[in-house]
């Protein structure tokens, strides 16, 4: 029993080393077989941008968050639409769907649902999401 | 500014190098990069009718870091030359350059006394391995250029030579 456990552990170790070799091996092979330098004309080999143009400043800058809020609004309404799909399936035959609701009731219910969700717009409006201006974080 | 000295690999075996050359020659990755009308012919070469994929060179890469071959397809204007040189610098070894069309060979029809806008040939910027004449060269010519390059890499021609006439 003890021997079996040791053997199992050895298997795990062997597979672990095999996996590690499989992952790291190619890097080592490439390091050994690849030429150690690149012929170049303008010393631009290490330039990060790969389209040939001079990079304008650093990539590590603080981006405006305006579009992010806008995108969140889109997500909210995308989910809204998602909930409306099953409604659209049964809406035309609300009376006979076995849900025991009348047509008028179904209409009012969907109106309330969409109405409440539409309040998102007012909320975002009040918060100033639709105004395309830079939000400046002020710690004071 | 720049160097053409190449530090060789740490480990080198003649047979292994031959094997690597064979692999490289039959799966050349060109760069998606066109400068002028020759690029249209280059696109046609990559598309289904002429089908560069038959020779393993259809993987046009959008990044110079993944490329083996730079096909200079078109006129190099002096404004564009630094960008082309940057792309050449960013390609890892081993790398080859094909000058496609008369503009890339010598400046083509744009060469006249006192012209100030055109680099007269890709070889003014960096060494070129294969020249493909034509204005623009037909797709078959580009394929032949690729085969020429394969021959240069491996030292022997894999495909039959097409006889004229």
């Amino acid at each position: 029993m003890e021997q079996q456990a040791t053997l199992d552990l050895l298997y795990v170790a062997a597979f672990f080393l095999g996996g590690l070799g499989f992952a790291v091996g190619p890097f080592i092979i490439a390091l050994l077989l690849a030429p150690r330098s690149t012929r170049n004309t303008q010393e631009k080999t290490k330039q990060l941008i790969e389209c040939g143009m001079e990079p304008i400043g650093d990539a590590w800058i603080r981006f405006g968050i305006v579009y992010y809020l806008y995108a969140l609004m889109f997500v909210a309404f995308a989910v809204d639409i998602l909930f409306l799909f099953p409604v659209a399936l049964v809406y035309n035959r609300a009376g006979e769907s076995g849900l025991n609701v009348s047509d008028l009731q179904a209409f009012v219910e969907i109106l309330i649902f969409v109405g409440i969700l539409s309040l998102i717009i007012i909320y975002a409006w009040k918060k100033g999401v639709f105004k395309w201006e830079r939000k400046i974080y002020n710690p004071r | 500014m720049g160097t053409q000295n190449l530090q060789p690999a740490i480990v080198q075996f003649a047979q292994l190098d031959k094997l690597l050359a064979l692999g490289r020659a039959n799966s050349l990755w060109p760069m998606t990069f066109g400068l002028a009308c020759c690029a249209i012919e280059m696109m046609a070469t990559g598309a289904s009718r002429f089908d560069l994929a038959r020779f393993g060179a259809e993987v046009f890469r959008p990044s110079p870091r993944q490329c083996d071959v730079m096909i200079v397809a078109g006129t190099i204007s002096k404004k564009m030359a630094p960008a082309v040189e940057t792309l050449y610098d960013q390609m890892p070894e081993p790398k080859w350059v094909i000058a496609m069309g008369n503009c890339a060979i010598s400046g083509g029809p744009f060469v006249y006394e006192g012209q100030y806008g055109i680099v007269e040939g890709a070889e003014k910027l960096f060494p070129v391995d294969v020249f493909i004449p034509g204005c623009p060269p037909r797709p078959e010519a580009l394929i032949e250029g690729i085969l020429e390059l394969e021959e240069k890499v491996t030292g022997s021609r894999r495909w039959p030579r097409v006889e004229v006439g």
Side-chain angles (χ1 to χ4, degrees):
Chain A
M1 194 64 207
E2 188 67 28
Q3 257 184 346
Q4 187 61 43
T6 317
L7 200 63
D8 285 351
L9 265 179
L10 275 177
Y11 272 128
V12 170
F15 273 100
F16 177 74
L17 285 179
L20 201 69
F22 209 73
V24 180
F27 285 104
I28 296 169
I29 293 171
L31 200 70
L32 294 178
L33 291 185
R36 276 169 298 160
S37 72
T38 305
R39 290 173 289 163
N40 62 68
T41 52
Q42 300 221 318
E43 307 284 354
K44 293 266 183 69
T45 305
K46 296 272 164 68
Q47 182 180 304
L48 292 176
I49 304 292
E50 295 174 356
C51 61
M53 295 295 129
E54 286 287 342
I56 309 165
D58 206 348
W60 292 100
I61 55 168
R62 293 163 76 182
F63 290 93
I65 204 141
V66 188
Y67 187 72
Y68 156 77
L69 292 172
Y70 206 74
L72 270 186
M73 289 293 301
F74 168 77
V75 170
F77 281 100
V79 174
D80 186 359
I81 301 283
L82 202 68
F83 282 124
L84 288 181
F85 277 121
V87 175
L89 263 182
V90 295
Y91 185 73
N92 254 354
R93 37 194 180 81
E96 60 202 72
S97 65
L99 294 174
N100 207 14
V101 281
S102 71
D103 288 353
L104 184 67
Q105 208 178 340
F107 176 68
V108 171
E109 276 181 13
I110 196 69
L111 211 63
I112 291 170
F113 180 70
V114 174
I116 290 174
L117 282 174
S118 300
L119 292 178
I120 299 172
I121 293 185
I122 295 163
Y123 176 77
W125 200 349
K126 289 292 277 182
K127 285 280 181 184
V129 171
F130 297 121
K131 265 184 290 177
W132 195 269
E133 47 187 45
R134 199 164 201 163
K135 309 266 184 299
I136 294 165
Y137 171 67
N138 198 346
R140 275 172 298 157
Chain B
M1 283 295 274
T3 172
Q4 290 294 319
N5 293 329
L6 182 59
Q7 281 184 299
I10 299 168
V11 177
Q12 293 178 69
F13 298 110
Q15 293 302 318
L16 182 64
D17 281 351
K18 273 187 198 165
L19 192 69
L20 288 176
L22 195 67
R24 282 164 184 158
N26 289 292
S27 64
L28 289 169
W29 288 17
M31 183 148 63
T32 319
F33 157 63
L35 290 168
C37 23
C38 282
I40 303 290
E41 298 294 310
M42 186 170 76
M43 289 174 221
T45 318
S48 54
R49 182 169 170 194
F50 296 99
D51 200 10
L52 199 55
R54 294 176 292 165
F55 308 100
E58 85 286 9
V59 198
F60 281 88
R61 305 311 293 189
S63 161
R65 308 225 195 264
Q66 303 168 350
C67 296
D68 300 316
V69 193
M70 175 193 256
I71 301 175
V72 183
T75 323
I76 309 169
S77 59
K78 284 211 171 123
K79 190 103 175 169
M80 199 64 191
V84 178
E85 284 178 306
T86 305
L87 291 179
Y88 176 82
D89 286 4
Q90 288 177 340
M91 285 165 69
E93 292 288 343
K95 60 184 167 192
W96 299 277
V97 177
I98 293 178
M100 180 185 181
N102 290 350
C103 292
I105 294 173
S106 67
F110 301 106
V111 179
Y112 56 89
E113 206 173 311
Q115 71 89 5
Y116 51 85
I118 300 298
V119 176
E120 294 179 7
E123 202 156 52
K124 291 260 158 72
L125 305 177
F126 36 70
V128 175
D129 295 278
V130 176
F131 294 93
I132 307 171
C135 192
R138 283 192 55 83
E140 291 94 330
L142 178 56
I143 290 175
E144 177 62 28
I146 297 260
L147 298 185
E148 252 341 288
L149 185 61
E150 286 183 14
E151 190 177 343
K152 180 172 181 174
V153 174
T154 57
S156 65
R157 181 147 174 132
R158 185 176 161 207
W159 306 90
R161 228 173 263 282
V162 180
E163 299 296 330
V164 179

